[in-house]
Amino acid sequence: MMEHTLLLVDDEPFSLELMSELLESDGYRTVQAESGEEAWSRLEAEHERFCAVLLDKMMPGLSGMELLARIKENPDMEHLPVIIQSAFGSPGSIQQGMSAGAFFFLSKPFSRDMLLAVVKAAVSHWDRQLYFREMGLHQEGTMMLLQDAEFTLRTLQEAHAVTALLARACPVPERVASGLYELIANAVEHGNLEFDFQDKQRLLAEENWDNALEARLADPAYAQRQVSVRFQRTAEGITFTITDQGRGFDWQAVLNAGPAALLRPHGRGILLAKLSSFDQLEYPGDGSQVIARLLL
């Protein structure tokens, strides 16, 4: 199993010790920093060691938001997931953090379960980034020549492979990969296999999500359904069209949700794709098709 090390940054030693104890009891390694300056020194020296940063927003000296800006401005660290913690969880604060590149905004006080769920989502995000980077290395030059292609798939494993390939056809692969995977995974899980948000939350809490996915993929009522992923490059930009064979969903409620929706550890994929990965995102019908665009 891959070792996951987290950098914890807070100017309150008690908070650091509490978080460290909770996270290490769940199998993570932790490194503590009591200031933004100390955290930045550690990141400059050994950023590749960490798979996520948990960062207090309000600190004397180098604040959490200033440290987040430094991380996102550094090409070697910009894709490192950063979880912002704050006692002030106003919609404006959440929007500020997410717009600056934060992976998640964790409002204090938070429960053990919420902390572990958010960290698990951030670490999974990091693991996927590493996978996409490794899978795409061999196609990097050739894929920039791709003009038009279409793939059909059924499973999340196939979604990983297609995402890794198509992200390398884009100018900034790491920016696209996360959002593209979220859109394809949404088409598989919630489109073709018709799991709703509550189903997934419950099955994840019961640690039965993977088994439920496999069972539904084998169910004759769903086994023949496929997701189509179309890639098109023009002088104006790159377009991804993702189509599933499900019943659609209330996409307007998702896209028009306020910043508070980003506080959920699950069900945030579409919003993150809209905010972080693509210049335009639209659902032209009932939600069974999504069009995502990069402008060049």
Side-chain angles (χ1 to χ4, degrees), residues 6 9 27 33 60 80 102 121-122 144 195 206 213 217 255 282-283 292:
L6 310 169
V9 191
L80 183 63
M144 290 299 292
F195 286 105
E206 296 170 355
L213 277 175
L217 282 167
L255 286 186
E282 64 175 293
Y283 287 85

Side-chain angles (χ1 to χ4, degrees), residues 137-149:
L137 285 176
H138 301 297
Q139 295 88 17
E140 186 167 9
T142 304
M143 289 302 294
M144 290 299 292
L145 304 176
L146 187 67
Q147 298 296 313
D148 197 319

Side-chain angles (χ1 to χ4, degrees), residues 45-103:
E46 50 182 357
H47 62 84
E48 67 280 351
R49 178 183 179 188
F50 303 110
C51 62
V53 179
L54 280 80
L55 178 59
D56 189 47
K57 182 181 179 184
M58 303 297 291
M59 295 186 294
L62 186 65
S63 72
M65 292 302 296
E66 289 169 339
L67 180 55
L68 172 63
R70 286 192 185 185
I71 292 171
K72 294 304 169 182
E73 288 168 0
N74 188 301
D76 293 327
M77 307 180 204
E78 61 178 329
H79 301 292
L80 183 63
V82 178
I83 299 165
I84 296 286
Q85 309 161 62
S86 176
F88 305 99
S90 68
S93 294
I94 297 168
Q95 187 65 54
Q96 179 192 19
M98 300 305 295
S99 297
F103 178 79

